Amino acid sequence: MKRKKMKVLSAILPVLFMLVMISSAYAQTQFDPKLISAAKKEGKVTLYNSGDREAGEALLKAFKAKFGISGEQYRATSNKVLSKVMEEIEAKNIYADVLCTGSPNVLRLSQKGYIAKHDCQQAKFYPASQQTEHYVNVTGIAMFIMYNKDLVSEKDAPKEWKDLINPKWKGQIVMPDWSASTSPLILFQMFKDIYDTEFLKKAGEQKFIIHKAHGAAANAVASGENAIAFEMLSDRIAVEVKKGAPVGYSVPTPVVFNPRQMGITKGAPHPNAAKLLMEFALSKEGQKIYNLDYWLYSFRSDIQYPPEMYPLDKIKLYDFTPKMWLDFTDNMPKLIEEANQYWLKK
C-alpha cells in the first residue's frame, strides 16, 4: 500500500512542480512581450526626474537588468524639469521620454497637449483619484517633523504642527527656503486652510534657521547643528536613518503628500521604451525600488510596506485636489510674499 502511494506521489510531484513553475512565471509576466520587443529595438530611454537621484538611478539600473535597455536620467528640481521640457517641445527637439516630477507640472503639461495619453496596464492597481488619462501619481512624498534625538527627547519632541510654535523651540528650528522649494509653501497653504493667522505669526516668531534645500536642512539636524526640522520629506529622513544618524520623526495630523506624477512626453523619441519604463515603475517591483526603499509612499493598492516605514493607513492625509494644485501653482508668487511677511522675522 505504501509503495503504491509512493508511486502516485512520484507521478504527481513533477506535475505539481511544473504547475508551480508555470504559475510563478505567469505571475512574473507583467509586461507585454510585443512591447518589450519594440522597446528593445529602440534601445534606450531617458527619464527626466525631479525625485530622488539615487532612486532614479536604481530604477534605471533594475530596468536595464530586467529588459537589457539602457536608461539615462536628467535630474533637477521640478521647475527646472518643467522649463527644460517646455524648451525642448517648443524647439521641436525632444529628448525626454518619461517625466516624473512633482505636482502639478505634468498636469499643466497635459493641459497643453504635451503629455501623451497612456494605456498603462499597471495603472489598474491605482485608484482613479491618483491618475488621469495622461499620467499616474507614481510617488507620495510625506512631510513629517524631524528632530535630533541627542538634543530633543522622544517625550519632548513636537508631535503635532502646533507643538512647533512652543517658545522653548525658538531659534532651534530649521526650514528649507520656501522661495526655492515648494514643500514649505504647500505647508503654508495648508496652515492657511486649517489654522488662523495667529498660528502663522507665532510660527514666524520662532526665528527659523533657513537652509537652501531639504538635504542641507536634514544634514543640519542629523549633525546636531540644529534640533528640529519644521517639515522634512520622508525620503530625506530615511537617508539619515540609514546612515545611522541620531534622528527621529513625528507624524502630525494632518500630513500633506506631495505626489510625483509620471507621464510620457508627446513625441518622445523612444515611445515604446518609455511605455515599458512607466509600466515597470508602476509595478510592485518598480514601486519597491523607486519608493519603498527610500521611505516614499505608493498609491498602488496591493503594496505591502516594510516594517521600518510608518504605516500609510495610520496617516491622516490633507489631500490636495487637482484644482487645488493648479491654484497653488498660480498663487506661488503671492504665497512666497505672504510667507516672507509671516516667517522672515528680524
Side-chain angles (χ1 to χ4, degrees):
M1 187 70 174
K2 287 183 178 178
R3 188 174 293 175
K4 187 175 181 180
K5 285 183 178 178
M6 289 297 292
K7 286 182 178 179
V8 172
L9 284 172
S10 297
I12 291 175
L13 285 174
V15 176
L16 288 175
F17 178 76
M18 286 183 64
L19 288 173
V20 169
M21 293 300 292
I22 291 169
S23 175
S24 176
Y26 177 78
Q28 294 176 5
T29 307
Q30 307 175 64
F31 309 100
D32 182 357
K34 291 182 179 179
L35 176 61
I36 295 173
S37 177
K40 284 185 174 181
K41 288 178 182 178
E42 293 172 351
K44 65 176 291 187
V45 67
T46 302
L47 171 67
Y48 278 30
N49 181 30
S50 69
D52 189 277
R53 184 186 301 277
E54 291 78 11
E57 290 173 353
L59 182 71
L60 292 176
K61 182 179 179 180
F63 183 73
K64 183 177 181 180
K66 192 175 189 73
F67 301 109
I69 301 169
S70 297
E72 294 181 4
Q73 176 179 214
Y74 167 75
R75 199 279 166 193
T77 63
S78 294
N79 289 339
K80 285 184 178 179
V81 168
L82 178 65
S83 297
K84 186 169 175 60
V85 172
M86 292 288 288
E87 288 171 6
E88 289 180 11
I89 290 172
E90 289 168 3
K92 296 182 180 180
N93 190 22
I94 300 171
Y95 290 93
D97 290 309
V98 177
L99 304 177
C100 185
T101 185
S103 286
N105 289 345
V106 176
L107 174 58
R108 284 225 176 269
L109 288 169
S110 68
Q111 290 180 327
K112 290 179 175 290
Y114 295 161
I115 302 295
K117 290 184 180 180
H118 75 84
D119 57 352
C120 186
Q121 297 303 301
Q122 293 298 312
K124 65 186 178 185
F125 294 101
Y126 291 74
S129 61
Q130 301 301 331
Q131 60 179 294
T132 70
E133 62 182 356
H134 293 96
Y135 67 81
V136 180
N137 287 345
V138 70
T139 296
I141 316 166
M143 299 181 203
F144 296 149
I145 299 168
M146 178 183 176
Y147 59 92
N148 184 293
K149 291 181 178 180
D150 292 339
L151 302 177
V152 182
S153 70
E154 187 175 349
K155 179 182 177 182
D156 289 340
K159 304 295 190 299
E160 299 293 341
W161 299 118
K162 284 192 172 183
D163 295 339
L164 291 163
I165 63 175
N166 189 320
K168 71 178 179 180
W169 304 125
K170 187 173 182 178
Q172 301 182 62
I173 300 175
V174 300
M175 174 78 90
D177 183 359
W178 50 84
S179 67
S181 176
T182 58
S183 297
L185 280 182
I186 292 168
L187 275 187
F188 186 84
Q189 180 64 64
M190 183 185 78
F191 293 151
K192 284 183 64 178
D193 294 342
I194 66 176
Y195 297 135
D196 53 24
T197 55
E198 191 63 25
F199 174 86
L200 297 173
K201 290 178 182 177
K202 287 184 177 179
E205 290 169 3
Q206 296 294 66
K207 294 188 177 294
F208 297 139
I209 301 159
I210 301 171
H211 288 269
K212 191 173 292 185
H214 282 89
N219 289 337
V221 174
S223 66
E225 180 184 342
N226 304 119
I228 299 167
F230 194 94
E231 65 91 357
M232 186 50 61
L233 306 179
S234 54
D235 58 336
R236 293 296 178 183
I237 298 172
V239 168
E240 300 301 336
V241 170
K242 289 177 179 180
K243 288 193 299 189
V247 298
Y249 67 96
S250 301
V251 181
T253 300
V255 166
V256 178
F257 266 18
N258 186 4
R260 289 195 189 109
Q261 302 158 343
M262 180 170 280
I264 298 170
T265 311
K266 192 170 184 179
H270 310 101
N272 293 295
K275 182 178 178 182
L276 186 60
L277 179 59
M278 186 168 173
E279 292 277 9
F280 181 62
L282 294 174
S283 71
K284 288 182 77 171
E285 182 181 356
Q287 286 290 284
K288 180 184 183 303
I289 295 166
Y290 192 65
N291 286 338
L292 306 191
D293 287 351
Y294 295 87
W295 287 17
L296 296 166
Y297 288 85
S298 172
F299 297 107
R300 191 179 164 108
S301 59
D302 58 352
I303 283 292
Q304 291 184 335
Y305 287 93
E308 62 269 21
M309 282 186 72
Y310 194 87
L312 179 61
D313 58 5
K314 291 186 178 180
I315 299 176
K316 184 176 180 181
L317 292 177
Y318 184 82
D319 197 20
F320 275 71
T321 65
K323 184 180 184 306
M324 289 171 69
W325 281 117
L326 290 174
D327 290 344
F328 169 79
T329 307
D330 291 338
N331 293 331
M332 275 183 64
K334 182 180 177 182
L335 285 172
I336 291 172
E337 288 182 11
E338 288 185 65
N340 289 342
Q341 291 172 6
Y342 283 108
W343 289 353
L344 283 182
K345 298 294 182 180
K346 302 297 184 182

